[in-house]
Amino acid sequence: MGKKIIVAGGGHGGIAAGAILARNGYDVTVYEKNKREDMGYDWTDIFDRKGLFAVGMGMPDEDKYKLKNDMTFYSPSMKTPLRQHVPEDQLEIQMERKEIYNHIISYAETCGVKFEYENPVLYPIMLGNRVAGIKTEKDGVIYADLVIDAAGLNSPVRMNLPEYLGIQNNISDFEQFYVYRGFYNKAAETTDEDNFKVCLFHQNHLGIYWVADEENHTDVLIGRFTPIDLNDVEEALTYLRSFNPSLGTELVRGGQFVNICVRQPLGVMVADGYAAIGDSAFMPVPIIGSGIANCLKAAEILAYTIINDKTDSFSADVLWKYQRGFYKKLGNGLAPLACVKLMLTRLSGDDLDYIFDNGILTADDMTIGADDTSLVSLFSGIKMDDIKTKLTGVYKNPVVMKKVLRMIKEIGAASAVVSAMPKVYNPKAVNAWVKQYNACFKR
């Protein structure tokens, strides 16, 4: 025991895995670029509370969170709104992002994790084929027995790994969402029961807007698959105010631009001395970009893979059990959802109106999807009569049918490839497999 483990970046999953490991006697240090008080964006986040339980964390104090409001989804025409009706026991919790970090970091500190703030990670240190440590801005080269990469979507660790490891360095078009998020003053009180509106493909843009009425502010998100600037934001805000009189003009909080991961999980997430987790391994749900619960569940798998390795080798063949465990629990469902996301990027506004107006998507679908991260569990909740309605609607529109059939073909291919993941780590076999895997997600 006492092996030295570096968590590169302060991602939720890396900190949570570090907590379990420190609790079991490992020497764990997190290296994070931000100040402690700057951890977490200046807004709220929504996640499945079961992620906390997976890593041995209790619930936050009741005054730190609330249950998420049901969402109402609108296609461009806004003729057929689809409102969720999620049962209370399935509702995700909504918390300040900084309070989420307070909860996770406090738990990790009680377990013995050490934190080095304001110390950006620059790149990995390689010794032969092994990741042997990191280079940081303040402390220079730091060696460790294992590096857990929790440095995010554009991790300087993952992005600087040698190509021969087979770990994808960068991401492609339509694999990240460009998002603006801000809280605005309430210009008027509203009695509209649809107080969390999600608008899809509005103003001929491939993306979403949401506007949610909270007690003291109005929460706005503007997201697209192409970069956005303040001019785009002002145009979208003007549009949203046209049917949301509560949305004021004064920015109260937030106002940040961020990139959110919306793609399939990383095809190879381990190497000798290295394991990626969270956004570094592309673990969010591809359609919605929510990843806190997934990375916490992955943290449990990673930590116990390490603890159960009696050789303390931290080799790729040992860590491969973590990757296979993640795919068995979550990745097998996330990869097909990435195919659904790709289909959405091919739809036009007219296509989406047709899908809403003809019962191909229903409020029940939006409700079922609120608590699922796999197509199997999602579709198992749909009634046979609803399936017939969906199939009839798709069949009547040749353009939509062509796109849906392509999606079905891609889901089948992705599911088959994922199920063929090598059972044991062999560099040649893994590199051959990951080429097939990545090929399943070409737009």
Side-chain angles (χ1 to χ4, degrees), residues 180 182-188 197 199 203 209-211 218 220 222 233-252:
Y180 170 87
F183 292 175
Y184 287 80
N185 69 304
K186 294 187 72 168
K197 300 181 178 72
C199 307
Q203 295 183 292
Y209 304 155
W210 88 33
V211 54
T218 303
V220 171
I222 297 160
V233 170
E234 287 303 322
E235 177 188 28
L237 288 170
T238 299
Y239 172 76
L240 290 172
R241 290 186 185 107
S242 69
F243 57 92
N244 289 277
S246 65
L247 177 54
T249 58
E250 178 188 349
L251 179 65
V252 178

PDB file of all heavy atoms in Angstrom, residues 180 182-188 197 199 203 209-211 218 220 222 233-252:
ATOM      1  N   TYR A 180     -23.655  28.807 -23.747  1.00  0.00           N
ATOM      2  CA  TYR A 180     -23.677  30.018 -22.913  1.00  0.00           C
ATOM      3  C   TYR A 180     -24.714  29.790 -21.831  1.00  0.00           C
ATOM      4  O   TYR A 180     -25.822  29.308 -22.106  1.00  0.00           O
ATOM      5  CB  TYR A 180     -24.063  31.245 -23.737  1.00  0.00           C
ATOM      6  CG  TYR A 180     -24.347  32.477 -22.889  1.00  0.00           C
ATOM      7  CD1 TYR A 180     -23.308  33.332 -22.511  1.00  0.00           C
ATOM      8  CD2 TYR A 180     -25.637  32.781 -22.460  1.00  0.00           C
ATOM      9  CE1 TYR A 180     -23.559  34.452 -21.719  1.00  0.00           C
ATOM     10  CE2 TYR A 180     -25.893  33.894 -21.670  1.00  0.00           C
ATOM     11  CZ  TYR A 180     -24.851  34.725 -21.308  1.00  0.00           C
ATOM     12  OH  TYR A 180     -25.109  35.822 -20.538  1.00  0.00           O
ATOM     13  N   GLY A 182     -26.471  31.777 -18.342  1.00  0.00           N
ATOM     14  CA  GLY A 182     -26.564  32.965 -17.509  1.00  0.00           C
ATOM     15  C   GLY A 182     -27.861  33.015 -16.735  1.00  0.00           C
ATOM     16  O   GLY A 182     -28.884  32.480 -17.174  1.00  0.00           O
ATOM     17  N   PHE A 183     -27.837  33.650 -15.564  1.00  0.00           N
ATOM     18  CA  PHE A 183     -29.028  33.886 -14.757  1.00  0.00           C
ATOM     19  C   PHE A 183     -29.396  35.364 -14.889  1.00  0.00           C
ATOM     20  O   PHE A 183     -28.554  36.238 -14.652  1.00  0.00           O
ATOM     21  CB  PHE A 183     -28.777  33.565 -13.281  1.00  0.00           C
ATOM     22  CG  PHE A 183     -28.571  32.107 -12.982  1.00  0.00           C
ATOM     23  CD1 PHE A 183     -28.240  31.697 -11.701  1.00  0.00           C
ATOM     24  CD2 PHE A 183     -28.707  31.131 -13.960  1.00  0.00           C
ATOM     25  CE1 PHE A 183     -28.047  30.365 -11.398  1.00  0.00           C
ATOM     26  CE2 PHE A 183     -28.522  29.790 -13.679  1.00  0.00           C
ATOM     27  CZ  PHE A 183     -28.184  29.403 -12.402  1.00  0.00           C
ATOM     28  N   TYR A 184     -30.659  35.611 -15.237  1.00  0.00           N
ATOM     29  CA  TYR A 184     -31.131  36.985 -15.451  1.00  0.00           C
ATOM     30  C   TYR A 184     -32.207  37.340 -14.434  1.00  0.00           C
ATOM     31  O   TYR A 184     -32.875  36.460 -13.873  1.00  0.00           O
ATOM     32  CB  TYR A 184     -31.685  37.128 -16.884  1.00  0.00           C
ATOM     33  CG  TYR A 184     -30.577  37.135 -17.913  1.00  0.00           C
ATOM     34  CD1 TYR A 184     -29.991  35.945 -18.345  1.00  0.00           C
ATOM     35  CD2 TYR A 184     -30.087  38.325 -18.427  1.00  0.00           C
ATOM     36  CE1 TYR A 184     -28.952  35.940 -19.265  1.00  0.00           C
ATOM     37  CE2 TYR A 184     -29.049  38.335 -19.361  1.00  0.00           C
ATOM     38  CZ  TYR A 184     -28.497  37.139 -19.764  1.00  0.00           C
ATOM     39  OH  TYR A 184     -27.455  37.151 -20.666  1.00  0.00           O
ATOM     40  N   ASN A 185     -32.373  38.647 -14.218  1.00  0.00           N
ATOM     41  CA  ASN A 185     -33.411  39.102 -13.293  1.00  0.00           C
ATOM     42  C   ASN A 185     -34.789  38.728 -13.830  1.00  0.00           C
ATOM     43  O   ASN A 185     -34.973  38.524 -15.042  1.00  0.00           O
ATOM     44  CB  ASN A 185     -33.325  40.612 -13.081  1.00  0.00           C
ATOM     45  CG  ASN A 185     -33.717  41.397 -14.323  1.00  0.00           C
ATOM     46  OD1 ASN A 185     -33.142  41.202 -15.398  1.00  0.00           O
ATOM     47  ND2 ASN A 185     -34.681  42.302 -14.194  1.00  0.00           N
ATOM     48  N   LYS A 186     -35.744  38.645 -12.911  1.00  0.00           N
ATOM     49  CA  LYS A 186     -37.118  38.359 -13.309  1.00  0.00           C
ATOM     50  C   LYS A 186     -37.843  39.677 -13.556  1.00  0.00           C
ATOM     51  O   LYS A 186     -38.023  40.479 -12.636  1.00  0.00           O
ATOM     52  CB  LYS A 186     -37.824  37.530 -12.242  1.00  0.00           C
ATOM     53  CG  LYS A 186     -37.234  36.136 -12.069  1.00  0.00           C
ATOM     54  CD  LYS A 186     -38.046  35.273 -11.126  1.00  0.00           C
ATOM     55  CE  LYS A 186     -39.357  34.860 -11.760  1.00  0.00           C
ATOM     56  NZ  LYS A 186     -40.049  33.800 -11.002  1.00  0.00           N
ATOM     57  N   ALA A 187     -38.262  39.869 -14.798  1.00  0.00           N
ATOM     58  CA  ALA A 187     -38.939  41.112 -15.156  1.00  0.00           C
ATOM     59  C   ALA A 187     -40.407  41.084 -14.764  1.00  0.00           C
ATOM     60  O   ALA A 187     -41.048  42.135 -14.640  1.00  0.00           O
ATOM     61  CB  ALA A 187     -38.810  41.359 -16.657  1.00  0.00           C
ATOM     62  N   ALA A 188     -40.947  39.888 -14.593  1.00  0.00           N
ATOM     63  CA  ALA A 188     -42.361  39.753 -14.221  1.00  0.00           C
ATOM     64  C   ALA A 188     -42.567  38.368 -13.635  1.00  0.00           C
ATOM     65  O   ALA A 188     -41.829  37.429 -13.944  1.00  0.00           O
ATOM     66  CB  ALA A 188     -43.259  39.950 -15.450  1.00  0.00           C
ATOM     67  N   LYS A 197     -38.731  25.531 -19.985  1.00  0.00           N
ATOM     68  CA  LYS A 197     -38.943  25.304 -21.412  1.00  0.00           C
ATOM     69  C   LYS A 197     -37.623  24.964 -22.100  1.00  0.00           C
ATOM     70  O   LYS A 197     -36.615  25.642 -21.893  1.00  0.00           O
ATOM     71  CB  LYS A 197     -39.551  26.544 -22.086  1.00  0.00           C
ATOM     72  CG  LYS A 197     -40.894  26.984 -21.539  1.00  0.00           C
ATOM     73  CD  LYS A 197     -41.402  28.205 -22.309  1.00  0.00           C
ATOM     74  CE  LYS A 197     -42.766  28.652 -21.816  1.00  0.00           C
ATOM     75  NZ  LYS A 197     -42.678  29.279 -20.481  1.00  0.00           N
ATOM     76  N   CYS A 199     -36.242  24.531 -25.908  1.00  0.00           N
ATOM     77  CA  CYS A 199     -36.591  24.799 -27.302  1.00  0.00           C
ATOM     78  C   CYS A 199     -35.533  24.180 -28.214  1.00  0.00           C
ATOM     79  O   CYS A 199     -34.343  24.482 -28.085  1.00  0.00           O
ATOM     80  CB  CYS A 199     -36.667  26.304 -27.560  1.00  0.00           C
ATOM     81  SG  CYS A 199     -37.761  27.184 -26.415  1.00  0.00           S
ATOM     82  N   GLN A 203     -34.939  29.180 -34.401  1.00  0.00           N
ATOM     83  CA  GLN A 203     -34.269  30.191 -35.215  1.00  0.00           C
ATOM     84  C   GLN A 203     -33.310  29.553 -36.229  1.00  0.00           C
ATOM     85  O   GLN A 203     -32.284  30.114 -36.595  1.00  0.00           O
ATOM     86  CB  GLN A 203     -33.500  31.183 -34.347  1.00  0.00           C
ATOM     87  CG  GLN A 203     -34.389  32.032 -33.444  1.00  0.00           C
ATOM     88  CD  GLN A 203     -33.591  33.050 -32.665  1.00  0.00           C
ATOM     89  OE1 GLN A 203     -32.820  32.697 -31.789  1.00  0.00           O
ATOM     90  NE2 GLN A 203     -33.762  34.331 -33.011  1.00  0.00           N
ATOM     91  N   TYR A 209     -32.217  25.944 -26.817  1.00  0.00           N
ATOM     92  CA  TYR A 209     -32.296  27.011 -25.828  1.00  0.00           C
ATOM     93  C   TYR A 209     -33.099  26.452 -24.667  1.00  0.00           C
ATOM     94  O   TYR A 209     -34.001  25.632 -24.870  1.00  0.00           O
ATOM     95  CB  TYR A 209     -33.061  28.242 -26.351  1.00  0.00           C
ATOM     96  CG  TYR A 209     -32.563  28.871 -27.613  1.00  0.00           C
ATOM     97  CD1 TYR A 209     -33.438  29.605 -28.411  1.00  0.00           C
ATOM     98  CD2 TYR A 209     -31.236  28.771 -28.013  1.00  0.00           C
ATOM     99  CE1 TYR A 209     -33.005  30.223 -29.583  1.00  0.00           C
ATOM    100  CE2 TYR A 209     -30.792  29.379 -29.178  1.00  0.00           C
ATOM    101  CZ  TYR A 209     -31.683  30.102 -29.963  1.00  0.00           C
ATOM    102  OH  TYR A 209     -31.248  30.696 -31.114  1.00  0.00           O
ATOM    103  N   TRP A 210     -32.760  26.875 -23.461  1.00  0.00           N
ATOM    104  CA  TRP A 210     -33.717  26.624 -22.392  1.00  0.00           C
ATOM    105  C   TRP A 210     -33.884  27.895 -21.576  1.00  0.00           C
ATOM    106  O   TRP A 210     -32.993  28.728 -21.514  1.00  0.00           O
ATOM    107  CB  TRP A 210     -33.380  25.418 -21.548  1.00  0.00           C
ATOM    108  CG  TRP A 210     -32.473  25.572 -20.354  1.00  0.00           C
ATOM    109  CD1 TRP A 210     -32.334  26.639 -19.518  1.00  0.00           C
ATOM    110  CD2 TRP A 210     -31.578  24.571 -19.846  1.00  0.00           C
ATOM    111  NE1 TRP A 210     -31.425  26.372 -18.525  1.00  0.00           N
ATOM    112  CE2 TRP A 210     -30.945  25.122 -18.700  1.00  0.00           C
ATOM    113  CE3 TRP A 210     -31.287  23.267 -20.219  1.00  0.00           C
ATOM    114  CZ2 TRP A 210     -30.017  24.404 -17.949  1.00  0.00           C
ATOM    115  CZ3 TRP A 210     -30.364  22.568 -19.469  1.00  0.00           C
ATOM    116  CH2 TRP A 210     -29.737  23.134 -18.363  1.00  0.00           C
ATOM    117  N   VAL A 211     -35.074  28.040 -21.015  1.00  0.00           N
ATOM    118  CA  VAL A 211     -35.358  29.157 -20.123  1.00  0.00           C
ATOM    119  C   VAL A 211     -36.208  28.602 -18.989  1.00  0.00           C
ATOM    120  O   VAL A 211     -37.261  27.996 -19.215  1.00  0.00           O
ATOM    121  CB  VAL A 211     -36.056  30.322 -20.867  1.00  0.00           C
ATOM    122  CG1 VAL A 211     -37.301  29.863 -21.594  1.00  0.00           C
ATOM    123  CG2 VAL A 211     -36.363  31.462 -19.926  1.00  0.00           C
ATOM    124  N   THR A 218     -34.181  34.038 -13.668  1.00  0.00           N
ATOM    125  CA  THR A 218     -34.549  33.206 -14.814  1.00  0.00           C
ATOM    126  C   THR A 218     -33.267  32.627 -15.403  1.00  0.00           C
ATOM    127  O   THR A 218     -32.332  33.357 -15.742  1.00  0.00           O
ATOM    128  CB  THR A 218     -35.285  34.027 -15.885  1.00  0.00           C
ATOM    129  OG1 THR A 218     -36.438  34.630 -15.282  1.00  0.00           O
ATOM    130  CG2 THR A 218     -35.731  33.145 -17.024  1.00  0.00           C
ATOM    131  N   VAL A 220     -31.049  30.767 -18.136  1.00  0.00           N
ATOM    132  CA  VAL A 220     -31.017  30.667 -19.592  1.00  0.00           C
ATOM    133  C   VAL A 220     -29.800  29.855 -20.023  1.00  0.00           C
ATOM    134  O   VAL A 220     -28.683  30.073 -19.537  1.00  0.00           O
ATOM    135  CB  VAL A 220     -30.944  32.059 -20.253  1.00  0.00           C
ATOM    136  CG1 VAL A 220     -30.699  31.945 -21.758  1.00  0.00           C
ATOM    137  CG2 VAL A 220     -32.229  32.832 -19.997  1.00  0.00           C
ATOM    138  N   ILE A 222     -28.045  28.591 -23.788  1.00  0.00           N
ATOM    139  CA  ILE A 222     -28.053  28.643 -25.258  1.00  0.00           C
ATOM    140  C   ILE A 222     -26.923  27.741 -25.729  1.00  0.00           C
ATOM    141  O   ILE A 222     -25.757  27.953 -25.357  1.00  0.00           O
ATOM    142  CB  ILE A 222     -27.838  30.092 -25.748  1.00  0.00           C
ATOM    143  CG1 ILE A 222     -28.986  30.976 -25.272  1.00  0.00           C
ATOM    144  CG2 ILE A 222     -27.712  30.133 -27.277  1.00  0.00           C
ATOM    145  CD1 ILE A 222     -28.661  32.447 -25.266  1.00  0.00           C
ATOM    146  N   VAL A 233     -25.863  35.313 -28.563  1.00  0.00           N
ATOM    147  CA  VAL A 233     -26.581  35.274 -27.288  1.00  0.00           C
ATOM    148  C   VAL A 233     -27.677  36.332 -27.256  1.00  0.00           C
ATOM    149  O   VAL A 233     -28.826  36.050 -26.875  1.00  0.00           O
ATOM    150  CB  VAL A 233     -25.600  35.471 -26.114  1.00  0.00           C
ATOM    151  CG1 VAL A 233     -26.355  35.682 -24.806  1.00  0.00           C
ATOM    152  CG2 VAL A 233     -24.669  34.274 -26.000  1.00  0.00           C
ATOM    153  N   GLU A 234     -27.359  37.555 -27.655  1.00  0.00           N
ATOM    154  CA  GLU A 234     -28.356  38.632 -27.629  1.00  0.00           C
ATOM    155  C   GLU A 234     -29.518  38.329 -28.568  1.00  0.00           C
ATOM    156  O   GLU A 234     -30.676  38.598 -28.245  1.00  0.00           O
ATOM    157  CB  GLU A 234     -27.700  39.959 -28.000  1.00  0.00           C
ATOM    158  CG  GLU A 234     -26.805  40.520 -26.903  1.00  0.00           C
ATOM    159  CD  GLU A 234     -27.547  40.707 -25.588  1.00  0.00           C
ATOM    160  OE1 GLU A 234     -28.724  41.113 -25.612  1.00  0.00           O
ATOM    161  OE2 GLU A 234     -26.945  40.437 -24.530  1.00  0.00           O
ATOM    162  N   GLU A 235     -29.220  37.760 -29.732  1.00  0.00           N
ATOM    163  CA  GLU A 235     -30.278  37.386 -30.672  1.00  0.00           C
ATOM    164  C   GLU A 235     -31.201  36.337 -30.054  1.00  0.00           C
ATOM    165  O   GLU A 235     -32.432  36.432 -30.138  1.00  0.00           O
ATOM    166  CB  GLU A 235     -29.642  36.829 -31.956  1.00  0.00           C
ATOM    167  CG  GLU A 235     -30.661  36.344 -32.984  1.00  0.00           C
ATOM    168  CD  GLU A 235     -30.006  35.623 -34.150  1.00  0.00           C
ATOM    169  OE1 GLU A 235     -28.921  35.033 -33.963  1.00  0.00           O
ATOM    170  OE2 GLU A 235     -30.587  35.633 -35.244  1.00  0.00           O
ATOM    171  N   ALA A 236     -30.598  35.347 -29.386  1.00  0.00           N
ATOM    172  CA  ALA A 236     -31.391  34.287 -28.759  1.00  0.00           C
ATOM    173  C   ALA A 236     -32.210  34.828 -27.591  1.00  0.00           C
ATOM    174  O   ALA A 236     -33.377  34.448 -27.399  1.00  0.00           O
ATOM    175  CB  ALA A 236     -30.468  33.164 -28.293  1.00  0.00           C
ATOM    176  N   LEU A 237     -31.612  35.715 -26.779  1.00  0.00           N
ATOM    177  CA  LEU A 237     -32.337  36.282 -25.642  1.00  0.00           C
ATOM    178  C   LEU A 237     -33.547  37.091 -26.095  1.00  0.00           C
ATOM    179  O   LEU A 237     -34.627  37.024 -25.487  1.00  0.00           O
ATOM    180  CB  LEU A 237     -31.409  37.167 -24.822  1.00  0.00           C
ATOM    181  CG  LEU A 237     -30.334  36.451 -23.993  1.00  0.00           C
ATOM    182  CD1 LEU A 237     -29.335  37.460 -23.427  1.00  0.00           C
ATOM    183  CD2 LEU A 237     -30.964  35.646 -22.868  1.00  0.00           C
ATOM    184  N   THR A 238     -33.385  37.858 -27.177  1.00  0.00           N
ATOM    185  CA  THR A 238     -34.514  38.623 -27.722  1.00  0.00           C
ATOM    186  C   THR A 238     -35.641  37.684 -28.128  1.00  0.00           C
ATOM    187  O   THR A 238     -36.833  37.940 -27.847  1.00  0.00           O
ATOM    188  CB  THR A 238     -34.060  39.452 -28.937  1.00  0.00           C
ATOM    189  OG1 THR A 238     -33.057  40.371 -28.509  1.00  0.00           O
ATOM    190  CG2 THR A 238     -35.221  40.220 -29.541  1.00  0.00           C
ATOM    191  N   TYR A 239     -35.271  36.584 -28.751  1.00  0.00           N
ATOM    192  CA  TYR A 239     -36.281  35.601 -29.158  1.00  0.00           C
ATOM    193  C   TYR A 239     -36.968  34.991 -27.931  1.00  0.00           C
ATOM    194  O   TYR A 239     -38.205  34.892 -27.873  1.00  0.00           O
ATOM    195  CB  TYR A 239     -35.620  34.514 -29.998  1.00  0.00           C
ATOM    196  CG  TYR A 239     -36.522  33.350 -30.301  1.00  0.00           C
ATOM    197  CD1 TYR A 239     -37.527  33.458 -31.264  1.00  0.00           C
ATOM    198  CD2 TYR A 239     -36.386  32.143 -29.622  1.00  0.00           C
ATOM    199  CE1 TYR A 239     -38.378  32.391 -31.529  1.00  0.00           C
ATOM    200  CE2 TYR A 239     -37.226  31.073 -29.887  1.00  0.00           C
ATOM    201  CZ  TYR A 239     -38.221  31.210 -30.841  1.00  0.00           C
ATOM    202  OH  TYR A 239     -39.055  30.171 -31.106  1.00  0.00           O
ATOM    203  N   LEU A 240     -36.210  34.600 -26.925  1.00  0.00           N
ATOM    204  CA  LEU A 240     -36.786  33.971 -25.743  1.00  0.00           C
ATOM    205  C   LEU A 240     -37.713  34.914 -24.984  1.00  0.00           C
ATOM    206  O   LEU A 240     -38.735  34.491 -24.434  1.00  0.00           O
ATOM    207  CB  LEU A 240     -35.672  33.475 -24.822  1.00  0.00           C
ATOM    208  CG  LEU A 240     -34.856  32.281 -25.333  1.00  0.00           C
ATOM    209  CD1 LEU A 240     -33.661  32.017 -24.427  1.00  0.00           C
ATOM    210  CD2 LEU A 240     -35.735  31.040 -25.430  1.00  0.00           C
ATOM    211  N   ARG A 241     -37.377  36.204 -24.965  1.00  0.00           N
ATOM    212  CA  ARG A 241     -38.236  37.173 -24.270  1.00  0.00           C
ATOM    213  C   ARG A 241     -39.573  37.347 -24.978  1.00  0.00           C
ATOM    214  O   ARG A 241     -40.551  37.780 -24.353  1.00  0.00           O
ATOM    215  CB  ARG A 241     -37.521  38.525 -24.165  1.00  0.00           C
ATOM    216  CG  ARG A 241     -36.346  38.524 -23.198  1.00  0.00           C
ATOM    217  CD  ARG A 241     -35.738  39.905 -23.002  1.00  0.00           C
ATOM    218  NE  ARG A 241     -34.548  39.815 -22.161  1.00  0.00           N
ATOM    219  CZ  ARG A 241     -33.299  39.941 -22.600  1.00  0.00           C
ATOM    220  NH1 ARG A 241     -33.081  40.221 -23.884  1.00  0.00           N
ATOM    221  NH2 ARG A 241     -32.280  39.823 -21.773  1.00  0.00           N
ATOM    222  N   SER A 242     -39.640  36.994 -26.259  1.00  0.00           N
ATOM    223  CA  SER A 242     -40.894  37.157 -27.004  1.00  0.00           C
ATOM    224  C   SER A 242     -42.003  36.261 -26.468  1.00  0.00           C
ATOM    225  O   SER A 242     -43.182  36.550 -26.667  1.00  0.00           O
ATOM    226  CB  SER A 242     -40.674  36.886 -28.497  1.00  0.00           C
ATOM    227  OG  SER A 242     -40.407  35.503 -28.737  1.00  0.00           O
ATOM    228  N   PHE A 243     -41.653  35.168 -25.790  1.00  0.00           N
ATOM    229  CA  PHE A 243     -42.699  34.323 -25.195  1.00  0.00           C
ATOM    230  C   PHE A 243     -42.389  33.973 -23.734  1.00  0.00           C
ATOM    231  O   PHE A 243     -42.998  33.075 -23.158  1.00  0.00           O
ATOM    232  CB  PHE A 243     -42.914  33.037 -26.020  1.00  0.00           C
ATOM    233  CG  PHE A 243     -41.699  32.177 -26.214  1.00  0.00           C
ATOM    234  CD1 PHE A 243     -41.406  31.158 -25.332  1.00  0.00           C
ATOM    235  CD2 PHE A 243     -40.849  32.383 -27.295  1.00  0.00           C
ATOM    236  CE1 PHE A 243     -40.295  30.362 -25.506  1.00  0.00           C
ATOM    237  CE2 PHE A 243     -39.741  31.588 -27.485  1.00  0.00           C
ATOM    238  CZ  PHE A 243     -39.454  30.578 -26.583  1.00  0.00           C
ATOM    239  N   ASN A 244     -41.431  34.694 -23.120  1.00  0.00           N
ATOM    240  CA  ASN A 244     -41.139  34.540 -21.694  1.00  0.00           C
ATOM    241  C   ASN A 244     -41.009  35.923 -21.063  1.00  0.00           C
ATOM    242  O   ASN A 244     -39.900  36.447 -20.906  1.00  0.00           O
ATOM    243  CB  ASN A 244     -39.833  33.757 -21.499  1.00  0.00           C
ATOM    244  CG  ASN A 244     -39.962  32.299 -21.859  1.00  0.00           C
ATOM    245  OD1 ASN A 244     -40.423  31.490 -21.060  1.00  0.00           O
ATOM    246  ND2 ASN A 244     -39.562  31.979 -23.075  1.00  0.00           N
ATOM    247  N   PRO A 245     -42.126  36.543 -20.717  1.00  0.00           N
ATOM    248  CA  PRO A 245     -42.079  37.905 -20.166  1.00  0.00           C
ATOM    249  C   PRO A 245     -41.303  38.008 -18.859  1.00  0.00           C
ATOM    250  O   PRO A 245     -40.901  39.090 -18.457  1.00  0.00           O
ATOM    251  CB  PRO A 245     -43.555  38.254 -19.950  1.00  0.00           C
ATOM    252  CG  PRO A 245     -44.275  36.949 -19.914  1.00  0.00           C
ATOM    253  CD  PRO A 245     -43.511  36.031 -20.819  1.00  0.00           C
ATOM    254  N   SER A 246     -41.058  36.879 -18.204  1.00  0.00           N
ATOM    255  CA  SER A 246     -40.312  36.918 -16.942  1.00  0.00           C
ATOM    256  C   SER A 246     -38.818  37.128 -17.161  1.00  0.00           C
ATOM    257  O   SER A 246     -38.105  37.491 -16.222  1.00  0.00           O
ATOM    258  CB  SER A 246     -40.526  35.613 -16.170  1.00  0.00           C
ATOM    259  OG  SER A 246     -39.980  34.522 -16.887  1.00  0.00           O
ATOM    260  N   LEU A 247     -38.330  36.892 -18.372  1.00  0.00           N
ATOM    261  CA  LEU A 247     -36.901  36.980 -18.647  1.00  0.00           C
ATOM    262  C   LEU A 247     -36.460  38.438 -18.764  1.00  0.00           C
ATOM    263  O   LEU A 247     -36.781  39.130 -19.735  1.00  0.00           O
ATOM    264  CB  LEU A 247     -36.558  36.211 -19.932  1.00  0.00           C
ATOM    265  CG  LEU A 247     -35.106  36.272 -20.409  1.00  0.00           C
ATOM    266  CD1 LEU A 247     -34.141  35.845 -19.311  1.00  0.00           C
ATOM    267  CD2 LEU A 247     -34.927  35.413 -21.665  1.00  0.00           C
ATOM    268  N   GLY A 248     -35.721  38.901 -17.746  1.00  0.00           N
ATOM    269  CA  GLY A 248     -35.268  40.292 -17.728  1.00  0.00           C
ATOM    270  C   GLY A 248     -34.029  40.521 -18.578  1.00  0.00           C
ATOM    271  O   GLY A 248     -33.544  39.619 -19.272  1.00  0.00           O
ATOM    272  N   THR A 249     -33.490  41.714 -18.482  1.00  0.00           N
ATOM    273  CA  THR A 249     -32.336  42.106 -19.300  1.00  0.00           C
ATOM    274  C   THR A 249     -31.054  42.234 -18.488  1.00  0.00           C
ATOM    275  O   THR A 249     -29.983  42.446 -19.058  1.00  0.00           O
ATOM    276  CB  THR A 249     -32.615  43.461 -19.993  1.00  0.00           C
ATOM    277  OG1 THR A 249     -32.907  44.445 -18.990  1.00  0.00           O
ATOM    278  CG2 THR A 249     -33.796  43.347 -20.947  1.00  0.00           C
ATOM    279  N   GLU A 250     -31.143  42.105 -17.157  1.00  0.00           N
ATOM    280  CA  GLU A 250     -29.965  42.265 -16.311  1.00  0.00           C
ATOM    281  C   GLU A 250     -29.359  40.905 -15.985  1.00  0.00           C
ATOM    282  O   GLU A 250     -30.016  40.032 -15.412  1.00  0.00           O
ATOM    283  CB  GLU A 250     -30.337  42.978 -15.010  1.00  0.00           C
ATOM    284  CG  GLU A 250     -29.165  43.139 -14.053  1.00  0.00           C
ATOM    285  CD  GLU A 250     -29.596  43.669 -12.692  1.00  0.00           C
ATOM    286  OE1 GLU A 250     -30.760  44.108 -12.560  1.00  0.00           O
ATOM    287  OE2 GLU A 250     -28.763  43.615 -11.762  1.00  0.00           O
ATOM    288  N   LEU A 251     -28.100  40.717 -16.362  1.00  0.00           N
ATOM    289  CA  LEU A 251     -27.393  39.484 -16.029  1.00  0.00           C
ATOM    290  C   LEU A 251     -27.028  39.516 -14.543  1.00  0.00           C
ATOM    291  O   LEU A 251     -26.290  40.375 -14.087  1.00  0.00           O
ATOM    292  CB  LEU A 251     -26.126  39.343 -16.878  1.00  0.00           C
ATOM    293  CG  LEU A 251     -25.272  38.109 -16.604  1.00  0.00           C
ATOM    294  CD1 LEU A 251     -26.027  36.838 -16.965  1.00  0.00           C
ATOM    295  CD2 LEU A 251     -23.959  38.189 -17.366  1.00  0.00           C
ATOM    296  N   VAL A 252     -27.559  38.556 -13.797  1.00  0.00           N
ATOM    297  CA  VAL A 252     -27.345  38.517 -12.350  1.00  0.00           C
ATOM    298  C   VAL A 252     -26.138  37.662 -11.999  1.00  0.00           C
ATOM    299  O   VAL A 252     -25.340  38.016 -11.130  1.00  0.00           O
ATOM    300  CB  VAL A 252     -28.607  37.968 -11.647  1.00  0.00           C
ATOM    301  CG1 VAL A 252     -28.387  37.876 -10.142  1.00  0.00           C
ATOM    302  CG2 VAL A 252     -29.809  38.848 -11.953  1.00  0.00           C
TER     303      VAL A 252
END
